[in-house]
Amino acid sequence: MATLVDAWRTLYTITLPNLAKLKSSAQTHWPVQADHCFARIILDSVIGRGEEYTETSSSVTSTENRIATPWTERLKSPAIKNMTEAELSRCVTLGEAIAGGKANLVELDERSLAARGKAFKTSKGHGKRKGDAKIDDTAALSQPSSSEPKPKLRRRDQPDIRAAFGAPPKPSASSVPSASIDSDLRDLIETSEITAFRKRVLLALCQVPKGQVSTYLALSEYLNSAPRAVGNALRNNPFAPRVPCHRIVAANKTIGGFNGSWGVKGEYFNNKVTLLKEEGVRVNEKDGRIGNTVWTGFE
């Protein structure tokens, strides 16, 4: 099972996104590039069709081969923790078929979108779907609206931000139990006017214990989402510091972002360092390196 889990994660987070960026000849067109979109397409194709799925039917075009429902209506999120070994094996098989050109990604994407009631918009035959980068289809939840403030980040001031969001997670401090959330804080979050996705992110964030740090990647894997979607959700935290967004750092164990700024050159770097050190987290004030083990004990 562990081997299948590793194979699945590698396929949708590394192999397929890289093939898409390189415009591999395995597919005549790559309609998506983001890892969560590949996961959405494959999970919908396998889980969304239930017992009707076969390894060969994924490449056949017919009305009978449509996806009946999004995978989230058949399986509790996160999928990687709730799939059976057989379902996980089918996901790996389909991912490998896409990578090898044996399954048509465009057709699979169209079926996935149709199951979610979304139109597939193209230009000149095979264009990129409008707004695709803004949709976290894997989580199947709302994302922050375009009217929300944009991050005050400059690319030249954050050369490691991509690696920091997607670097491999460090071992978990699994012996430390998750923190409990006060009922009044839970009610405050759940009844607020923020999006459903941000509510899930903030509620999950409350599990990170005082004196521990987790990462955008670890939190996104728990929510079956994407690190950048989690980063966007945390950028405007109306309940800080009770909802401790300062306990989320970059996957490469640097300070990460805080209040819309990033890294040691960020405007609020010292604020985040102070909050973490007051809770007993080891932080190098010069380079923002975190000395603690990454906590990933989300439940």
Side-chain angles (χ1 to χ4, degrees), residues 186-267:
R186 180 183 293 275
D187 291 341
L188 184 63
I189 295 172
E190 291 180 342
T191 58
S192 66
E193 295 183 356
I194 61 177
T195 64
F197 178 71
R198 289 180 67 196
K199 290 177 184 179
R200 289 196 66 199
V201 171
L202 296 183
L203 287 170
L205 175 59
C206 290
Q207 295 186 37
V208 182
K210 183 178 181 180
Q212 301 293 322
V213 293
S214 193
T215 67
Y216 303 98
L217 179 61
L219 188 52
S220 70
E221 287 189 341
Y222 169 68
L223 295 169
N224 208 30
S225 181
R228 284 187 173 271
V230 168
N232 287 336
L234 295 182
R235 190 172 66 242
N236 298 299
N237 175 10
F239 310 115
R242 292 184 66 191
V243 177
C245 53
H246 59 279
R247 296 176 191 167
I248 300 297
V249 301
N252 59 2
K253 294 183 71 175
T254 56
I255 197 71
F258 192 59
N259 199 24
S261 65
W262 183 268
V264 295
K265 295 183 179 181
E267 182 179 356

Coordinates of all heavy atoms in Angstrom, one line a residue, residues 186-267:
R186 N -14.8 27.7 16.8 CA -15.3 26.9 15.7 C -16.6 27.6 15.1 O -16.7 27.7 13.9 CB -15.6 25.5 16.1 CG -16.2 24.6 15.0 CD -16.5 23.2 15.5 NE -15.3 22.5 15.9 CZ -14.5 21.8 15.1 NH1 -14.8 21.8 13.8 NH2 -13.5 21.2 15.5
D187 N -17.4 28.0 16.0 CA -18.7 28.6 15.6 C -18.4 29.9 14.8 O -19.0 30.3 13.9 CB -19.6 28.9 16.8 CG -20.2 27.6 17.4 OD1 -20.2 26.6 16.7 OD2 -20.6 27.7 18.5
L188 N -17.4 30.7 15.4 CA -17.0 31.9 14.7 C -16.5 31.7 13.3 O -16.9 32.5 12.4 CB -15.9 32.6 15.6 CG -15.5 34.0 15.1 CD1 -16.6 35.0 15.3 CD2 -14.3 34.5 16.0
I189 N -15.7 30.7 13.1 CA -15.2 30.4 11.8 C -16.3 30.0 10.9 O -16.5 30.4 9.7 CB -14.1 29.4 11.8 CG1 -12.9 30.0 12.6 CG2 -13.7 29.0 10.4 CD1 -11.8 28.9 12.9
E190 N -17.1 29.0 11.4 CA -18.2 28.4 10.5 C -19.3 29.3 10.1 O -19.9 29.1 9.1 CB -18.7 27.1 11.2 CG -17.7 26.0 11.3 CD -18.2 24.8 12.0 OE1 -19.3 24.9 12.7 OE2 -17.7 23.7 11.8
T191 N -19.5 30.3 10.9 CA -20.6 31.3 10.6 C -20.1 32.5 10.0 O -20.9 33.4 9.7 CB -21.4 31.6 11.9 OG1 -20.5 32.2 12.9 CG2 -22.0 30.4 12.6
S192 N -18.8 32.6 9.7 CA -18.3 33.8 9.1 C -18.6 33.8 7.6 O -19.1 32.8 7.1 CB -16.8 33.8 9.2 OG -16.2 32.8 8.6
E193 N -18.4 34.9 6.9 CA -18.7 35.1 5.5 C -17.6 34.7 4.6 O -17.7 35.0 3.4 CB -19.2 36.5 5.3 CG -20.5 36.9 6.0 CD -20.9 38.3 5.7 OE1 -20.2 39.0 4.9 OE2 -22.0 38.7 6.2
I194 N -16.5 34.1 5.1 CA -15.4 33.7 4.2 C -15.9 32.4 3.4 O -16.9 31.8 3.8 CB -14.1 33.4 5.0 CG1 -14.4 32.3 6.0 CG2 -13.7 34.7 5.7 CD1 -13.1 31.9 6.8
T195 N -15.1 32.1 2.4 CA -15.5 30.9 1.6 C -15.4 29.6 2.3 O -14.7 29.5 3.3 CB -14.5 30.9 0.3 OG1 -13.2 30.6 0.8 CG2 -14.6 32.2 -0.5
A196 N -16.1 28.6 1.8 CA -16.1 27.3 2.4 C -14.7 26.7 2.5 O -14.3 26.1 3.5 CB -17.0 26.4 1.7
F197 N -13.9 26.9 1.4 CA -12.5 26.4 1.4 C -11.7 27.1 2.5 O -10.9 26.4 3.3 CB -11.9 26.6 0.1 CG -10.4 26.2 0.0 CD1 -10.2 24.8 0.0 CD2 -9.4 27.1 0.0 CE1 -8.8 24.4 -0.1 CE2 -8.1 26.6 -0.1 CZ -7.8 25.3 -0.1
R198 N -11.8 28.4 2.7 CA -11.0 29.0 3.7 C -11.4 28.6 5.1 O -10.6 28.5 6.0 CB -11.2 30.6 3.6 CG -10.5 31.1 2.4 CD -10.6 32.6 2.3 NE -10.0 33.3 3.4 CZ -10.2 34.6 3.8 NH1 -11.1 35.3 3.1 NH2 -9.5 35.1 4.7
K199 N -12.7 28.3 5.3 CA -13.2 27.8 6.6 C -12.5 26.4 6.9 O -12.0 26.2 8.0 CB -14.7 27.6 6.6 CG -15.5 28.9 6.6 CD -17.0 28.6 6.5 CE -17.7 29.9 6.4 NZ -19.2 29.7 6.3
R200 N -12.4 25.6 5.9 CA -11.7 24.3 6.1 C -10.3 24.4 6.4 O -9.7 23.7 7.3 CB -11.9 23.4 4.9 CG -13.3 22.9 4.6 CD -13.3 21.7 3.6 NE -12.6 20.6 4.2 CZ -12.1 19.6 3.4 NH1 -12.2 19.7 2.1 NH2 -11.5 18.6 4.0
V201 N -9.6 25.4 5.7 CA -8.2 25.6 6.0 C -8.0 26.1 7.4 O -7.1 25.6 8.1 CB -7.6 26.6 5.0 CG1 -6.2 27.0 5.4 CG2 -7.6 26.0 3.6
L202 N -8.8 27.1 7.8 CA -8.6 27.7 9.2 C -8.9 26.7 10.3 O -8.3 26.6 11.3 CB -9.5 28.9 9.3 CG -9.1 30.1 8.3 CD1 -10.0 31.3 8.6 CD2 -7.6 30.4 8.5
L203 N -10.0 25.9 10.1 CA -10.3 24.8 11.1 C -9.2 23.8 11.2 O -8.9 23.4 12.3 CB -11.6 24.2 10.7 CG -12.9 25.0 10.9 CD1 -14.1 24.4 10.3 CD2 -13.1 25.3 12.4
A204 N -8.6 23.4 10.0 CA -7.5 22.4 10.1 C -6.3 23.1 10.7 O -5.6 22.4 11.5 CB -7.2 22.0 8.7
L205 N -6.1 24.3 10.5 CA -4.9 25.0 11.0 C -5.0 25.0 12.6 O -3.9 25.0 13.2 CB -4.9 26.5 10.5 CG -3.9 27.4 11.1 CD1 -2.5 26.9 10.8 CD2 -4.0 28.8 10.4
C206 N -6.2 25.1 13.1 CA -6.3 25.1 14.6 C -5.8 23.8 15.2 O -5.7 23.8 16.5 CB -7.8 25.3 14.9 SG -8.4 27.0 14.6
Q207 N -5.6 22.8 14.4 CA -5.1 21.5 15.0 C -3.6 21.6 15.3 O -3.1 20.8 16.1 CB -5.3 20.4 14.0 CG -6.8 20.0 13.8 CD -6.9 18.8 12.9 OE1 -6.1 17.8 13.1 NE2 -7.9 18.8 12.0
V208 N -2.9 22.5 14.7 CA -1.4 22.6 14.9 C -1.2 23.1 16.4 O -1.6 24.2 16.8 CB -0.8 23.6 13.9 CG1 0.8 23.6 14.2 CG2 -1.1 23.2 12.5
P209 N -0.5 22.2 17.2 CA -0.3 22.6 18.6 C 0.6 23.8 18.8 O 1.5 24.1 18.0 CB 0.3 21.3 19.2 CG 0.1 20.2 18.2 CD 0.1 20.9 16.8
K210 N 0.5 24.4 19.9 CA 1.4 25.5 20.3 C 2.8 24.9 20.5 O 3.0 23.8 21.0 CB 0.9 26.1 21.6 CG 1.7 27.3 22.1 CD 1.2 27.9 23.4 CE 2.0 29.1 23.9 NZ 1.4 29.6 25.1
G211 N 3.8 25.6 19.9 CA 5.2 25.2 20.0 C 5.6 24.3 18.9 O 6.7 23.8 18.8
Q212 N 4.6 24.0 17.9 CA 4.9 23.2 16.7 C 4.7 24.0 15.5 O 4.0 25.1 15.5 CB 3.9 22.0 16.7 CG 4.0 21.1 17.9 CD 5.4 20.4 18.0 OE1 5.9 20.0 17.0 NE2 5.9 20.3 19.2
V213 N 5.3 23.6 14.4 CA 5.0 24.2 13.1 C 4.7 23.1 12.1 O 5.1 22.0 12.2 CB 6.3 25.0 12.6 CG1 6.6 26.2 13.4 CG2 7.5 24.1 12.4
S214 N 3.8 23.5 11.1 CA 3.5 22.6 10.0 C 3.8 23.4 8.7 O 4.3 24.6 8.8 CB 2.1 22.1 10.0 OG 1.9 21.1 9.1
T215 N 3.4 22.9 7.6 CA 3.8 23.5 6.3 C 2.5 23.7 5.4 O 1.5 23.0 5.6 CB 4.9 22.7 5.5 OG1 4.3 21.5 5.1 CG2 6.1 22.5 6.4
Y216 N 2.7 24.5 4.4 CA 1.6 24.7 3.4 C 1.4 23.3 2.7 O 0.2 23.0 2.4 CB 2.0 25.7 2.4 CG 2.4 27.1 2.9 CD1 3.7 27.5 3.1 CD2 1.3 28.0 3.2 CE1 4.0 28.7 3.7 CE2 1.6 29.3 3.8 CZ 3.0 29.6 4.0 OH 3.3 30.8 4.5
L217 N 2.4 22.6 2.4 CA 2.3 21.3 1.7 C 1.6 20.3 2.6 O 0.7 19.6 2.1 CB 3.7 20.8 1.4 CG 3.7 19.5 0.7 CD1 3.0 19.5 -0.7 CD2 5.2 19.0 0.4
A218 N 2.0 20.2 3.9 CA 1.3 19.2 4.8 C -0.1 19.5 4.9 O -1.0 18.6 4.9 CB 2.0 19.2 6.1
L219 N -0.5 20.8 5.1 CA -1.9 21.2 5.3 C -2.7 21.0 4.0 O -3.8 20.5 4.0 CB -1.9 22.7 5.7 CG -3.3 23.3 6.1 CD1 -3.9 22.4 7.2 CD2 -3.1 24.7 6.5
S220 N -2.0 21.2 2.8 CA -2.7 21.0 1.6 C -3.0 19.5 1.3 O -4.0 19.1 0.8 CB -2.0 21.6 0.4 OG -0.8 20.9 0.1
E221 N -2.0 18.7 1.7 CA -2.2 17.2 1.5 C -3.3 16.7 2.4 O -4.1 15.8 2.0 CB -0.9 16.5 1.8 CG 0.2 16.7 0.7 CD 1.4 15.8 0.9 OE1 1.6 15.3 2.1 OE2 2.1 15.6 -0.1
Y222 N -3.4 17.2 3.6 CA -4.5 16.8 4.5 C -5.8 17.2 3.9 O -6.8 16.4 4.0 CB -4.3 17.5 5.9 CG -5.5 17.3 6.8 CD1 -5.9 16.1 7.3 CD2 -6.3 18.5 7.1 CE1 -7.0 16.0 8.1 CE2 -7.4 18.4 7.9 CZ -7.7 17.1 8.4 OH -8.8 17.0 9.2
L223 N -5.9 18.4 3.3 CA -7.2 18.8 2.7 C -7.3 18.4 1.2 O -8.3 18.7 0.6 CB -7.2 20.4 2.7 CG -7.2 21.0 4.1 CD1 -7.0 22.5 4.0 CD2 -8.5 20.7 4.8
N224 N -6.4 17.6 0.7 CA -6.4 17.1 -0.7 C -6.5 18.3 -1.6 O -7.3 18.3 -2.6 CB -7.5 16.1 -0.9 CG -7.1 15.2 -2.0 OD1 -6.0 14.9 -2.2 ND2 -8.1 14.7 -2.7
S225 N -5.7 19.4 -1.4 CA -5.8 20.6 -2.1 C -4.4 20.8 -2.7 O -3.7 19.9 -3.0 CB -6.3 21.7 -1.3 OG -6.3 22.9 -2.0
A226 N -4.0 22.1 -2.8 CA -2.7 22.5 -3.4 C -2.1 23.5 -2.4 O -2.8 24.3 -1.8 CB -2.8 23.1 -4.8
P227 N -0.7 23.5 -2.3 CA -0.1 24.4 -1.3 C -0.4 25.9 -1.6 O -0.6 26.7 -0.7 CB 1.4 24.1 -1.6 CG 1.5 22.7 -2.0 CD 0.2 22.5 -2.9
R228 N -0.4 26.3 -2.9 CA -0.7 27.7 -3.1 C -2.1 28.1 -2.8 O -2.4 29.2 -2.5 CB -0.3 28.0 -4.6 CG 1.2 28.1 -4.8 CD 1.5 28.6 -6.2 NE 3.0 28.8 -6.3 CZ 3.6 29.9 -6.0 NH1 2.9 30.9 -5.6 NH2 4.9 30.0 -6.1
A229 N -3.0 27.2 -3.0 CA -4.4 27.5 -2.6 C -4.5 27.7 -1.1 O -5.2 28.6 -0.6 CB -5.4 26.3 -3.0
V230 N -3.8 26.9 -0.3 CA -3.7 27.0 1.1 C -3.0 28.4 1.5 O -3.5 29.1 2.4 CB -2.9 25.9 1.8 CG1 -2.6 26.2 3.3 CG2 -3.8 24.6 1.7
G231 N -2.0 28.7 0.8 CA -1.3 30.0 1.1 C -2.2 31.1 0.8 O -2.2 32.1 1.6
N232 N -3.0 31.1 -0.3 CA -3.9 32.2 -0.5 C -5.0 32.3 0.6 O -5.4 33.4 0.9 CB -4.6 31.9 -1.9 CG -3.7 32.2 -3.1 OD1 -2.8 32.9 -2.9 ND2 -4.0 31.5 -4.2
A233 N -5.4 31.1 1.1 CA -6.5 31.1 2.1 C -5.9 31.7 3.4 O -6.7 32.4 4.2 CB -7.0 29.7 2.3
L234 N -4.6 31.5 3.7 CA -4.1 32.0 4.9 C -3.6 33.5 4.8 O -3.3 34.1 5.9 CB -2.8 31.1 5.3 CG -3.1 29.7 5.6 CD1 -1.8 29.0 6.0 CD2 -4.1 29.6 6.8
R235 N -3.5 34.0 3.6 CA -3.0 35.3 3.5 C -3.8 36.4 4.2 O -3.3 37.4 4.7 CB -2.9 35.7 2.0 CG -2.1 36.9 1.7 CD -1.9 37.1 0.2 NE -3.2 37.4 -0.5 CZ -3.7 36.6 -1.5 NH1 -3.0 35.5 -1.8 NH2 -4.8 36.9 -2.1
N236 N -5.1 36.2 4.2 CA -6.0 37.1 5.0 C -6.8 36.3 6.0 O -7.9 35.8 5.8 CB -7.0 37.8 4.0 CG -6.3 38.6 2.9 OD1 -5.6 39.5 3.2 ND2 -6.4 38.2 1.7
N237 N -6.2 36.2 7.2 CA -6.7 35.4 8.3 C -7.4 36.4 9.3 O -6.7 37.1 10.0 CB -5.6 34.6 9.0 CG -6.2 33.9 10.2 OD1 -7.4 33.9 10.5 ND2 -5.2 33.4 11.0
P238 N -8.8 36.5 9.3 CA -9.4 37.5 10.1 C -9.5 37.1 11.6 O -9.9 37.9 12.4 CB -10.9 37.5 9.5 CG -11.0 36.1 8.9 CD -9.7 35.7 8.4
F239 N -9.0 35.9 11.9 CA -9.1 35.4 13.3 C -7.7 35.2 13.9 O -7.6 34.6 15.0 CB -9.9 34.1 13.3 CG -11.2 34.2 12.6 CD1 -11.4 33.4 11.5 CD2 -12.2 35.0 13.0 CE1 -12.6 33.4 10.8 CE2 -13.4 35.1 12.4 CZ -13.6 34.3 11.2
A240 N -6.7 35.8 13.3 CA -5.3 35.7 13.9 C -5.3 36.6 15.2 O -5.9 37.6 15.3 CB -4.3 36.2 12.9
P241 N -4.5 36.2 16.2 CA -3.7 34.9 16.2 C -4.4 33.7 16.8 O -3.7 32.7 17.0 CB -2.5 35.4 17.1 CG -3.1 36.3 18.1 CD -4.2 37.0 17.3
R242 N -5.7 33.9 17.1 CA -6.4 32.7 17.7 C -6.4 31.5 16.7 O -6.2 30.4 17.2 CB -7.8 33.1 18.1 CG -8.0 34.0 19.2 CD -9.5 34.3 19.5 NE -10.1 33.1 20.1 CZ -11.4 32.9 20.2 NH1 -12.2 33.9 19.9 NH2 -11.9 31.8 20.7
V243 N -6.5 31.8 15.5 CA -6.3 30.8 14.4 C -4.8 31.0 14.0 O -4.5 32.0 13.3 CB -7.3 31.0 13.3 CG1 -6.9 30.0 12.2 CG2 -8.7 30.8 13.7
P244 N -3.9 30.1 14.4 CA -2.5 30.4 14.4 C -1.8 30.2 13.0 O -1.0 29.3 12.8 CB -1.9 29.5 15.4 CG -2.9 28.3 15.3 CD -4.2 28.8 15.0
C245 N -2.1 31.1 12.1 CA -1.5 31.0 10.7 C 0.1 31.2 10.8 O 0.8 30.7 9.9 CB -2.1 32.0 9.7 SG -2.0 33.7 10.3
H246 N 0.6 31.8 11.9 CA 2.0 31.9 12.1 C 2.7 30.6 12.3 O 3.9 30.5 12.1 CB 2.3 32.8 13.2 CG 1.8 32.4 14.6 ND1 0.5 32.6 14.9 CD2 2.4 31.7 15.6 CE1 0.3 32.1 16.1 NE2 1.4 31.5 16.6
R247 N 1.9 29.5 12.6 CA 2.5 28.2 12.8 C 2.7 27.4 11.5 O 3.1 26.3 11.5 CB 1.7 27.4 13.7 CG 1.6 28.0 15.1 CD 0.7 27.2 16.1 NE 0.5 28.0 17.3 CZ -0.5 27.7 18.2 NH1 -1.3 26.7 18.0 NH2 -0.6 28.4 19.3
I248 N 2.4 28.0 10.3 CA 2.6 27.4 9.0 C 3.8 28.0 8.4 O 3.9 29.2 8.2 CB 1.3 27.6 8.1 CG1 0.1 26.9 8.8 CG2 1.6 27.0 6.7 CD1 0.2 25.4 9.0
V249 N 4.8 27.2 8.0 CA 6.0 27.7 7.4 C 6.2 27.0 6.1 O 5.4 26.1 5.7 CB 7.2 27.4 8.4 CG1 7.0 28.1 9.7 CG2 7.4 25.9 8.6
A250 N 7.3 27.3 5.4 CA 7.5 26.7 4.1 C 8.0 25.3 4.2 O 8.5 24.9 5.3 CB 8.6 27.6 3.4
A251 N 7.8 24.5 3.2 CA 8.2 23.1 3.3 C 9.7 22.9 3.4 O 10.1 21.8 3.8 CB 7.6 22.4 2.0
N252 N 10.5 23.8 3.0 CA 11.9 23.7 3.1 C 12.4 24.3 4.5 O 13.5 24.5 4.7 CB 12.6 24.4 2.0 CG 12.3 25.9 1.9 OD1 11.5 26.4 2.7 ND2 12.8 26.6 0.9
K253 N 11.4 24.4 5.4 CA 11.7 24.9 6.8 C 12.3 26.3 6.9 O 13.2 26.5 7.7 CB 12.5 23.8 7.5 CG 11.8 22.5 7.7 CD 12.6 21.5 8.5 CE 12.8 21.9 10.0 NZ 13.5 20.9 10.8
T254 N 11.8 27.1 6.0 CA 12.1 28.6 6.2 C 10.8 29.2 6.6 O 9.8 28.6 6.7 CB 12.6 29.2 4.9 OG1 11.7 29.0 3.8 CG2 14.0 28.6 4.5
I255 N 10.9 30.5 7.0 CA 9.8 31.2 7.7 C 8.5 31.2 6.9 O 7.4 31.3 7.4 CB 10.2 32.6 8.1 CG1 9.3 33.2 9.2 CG2 10.4 33.5 6.9 CD1 9.4 32.5 10.5
G256 N 8.6 31.2 5.5 CA 7.4 31.3 4.7 C 6.8 32.7 4.7 O 7.5 33.7 4.8
G257 N 5.5 32.7 4.6 CA 4.8 34.0 4.4 C 4.0 34.4 5.7 O 3.8 33.5 6.6
F258 N 3.7 35.7 5.7 CA 2.9 36.1 6.9 C 2.3 37.5 6.5 O 2.9 38.4 6.1 CB 3.8 36.3 8.1 CG 3.0 36.5 9.4 CD1 2.1 35.6 9.8 CD2 3.2 37.7 10.1 CE1 1.4 35.8 11.0 CE2 2.5 37.9 11.3 CZ 1.6 37.0 11.8
N259 N 0.9 37.5 6.6 CA 0.2 38.7 6.3 C 0.5 39.3 4.9 O 0.5 40.5 4.8 CB 0.5 39.8 7.4 CG -0.6 40.9 7.5 OD1 -1.7 40.7 7.1 ND2 -0.2 42.0 8.0
G260 N 0.6 38.4 4.0 CA 0.8 38.9 2.6 C 2.3 39.2 2.2 O 2.5 39.5 1.0
S261 N 3.2 39.0 3.1 CA 4.6 39.2 2.7 C 5.3 37.8 2.8 O 4.8 36.9 3.5 CB 5.3 40.2 3.6 OG 5.3 39.8 5.0
W262 N 6.5 37.8 2.2 CA 7.2 36.5 2.2 C 8.7 36.6 2.6 O 9.4 37.5 2.2 CB 7.1 35.9 0.7 CG 7.7 34.5 0.6 CD1 9.0 34.2 0.3 CD2 7.1 33.3 0.9 NE1 9.2 32.8 0.3 CE2 8.0 32.3 0.7 CE3 5.8 32.9 1.3 CZ2 7.7 30.9 0.8 CZ3 5.5 31.6 1.4 CH2 6.4 30.6 1.2
G263 N 9.1 35.6 3.4 CA 10.5 35.4 3.7 C 11.1 36.5 4.6 O 10.4 37.3 5.1
V264 N 12.4 36.5 4.7 CA 13.2 37.4 5.6 C 13.1 38.8 5.1 O 13.2 39.7 6.0 CB 14.7 37.0 5.7 CG1 14.8 35.6 6.3 CG2 15.3 37.0 4.3
K265 N 12.8 39.1 3.9 CA 12.6 40.4 3.4 C 11.2 40.9 3.5 O 10.9 42.1 3.2 CB 13.1 40.6 1.9 CG 14.6 40.3 1.8 CD 15.0 40.5 0.3 CE 16.5 40.3 0.1 NZ 16.9 40.5 -1.3
G266 N 10.3 40.1 4.0 CA 8.9 40.4 4.1 C 8.7 41.5 5.2 O 9.4 41.5 6.2
E267 N 7.7 42.3 5.0 CA 7.4 43.4 5.9 C 7.1 42.9 7.3 O 7.4 43.6 8.3 CB 6.2 44.2 5.4 CG 5.8 45.4 6.2 CD 4.6 46.2 5.6 OE1 4.2 45.8 4.5 OE2 4.2 47.1 6.2

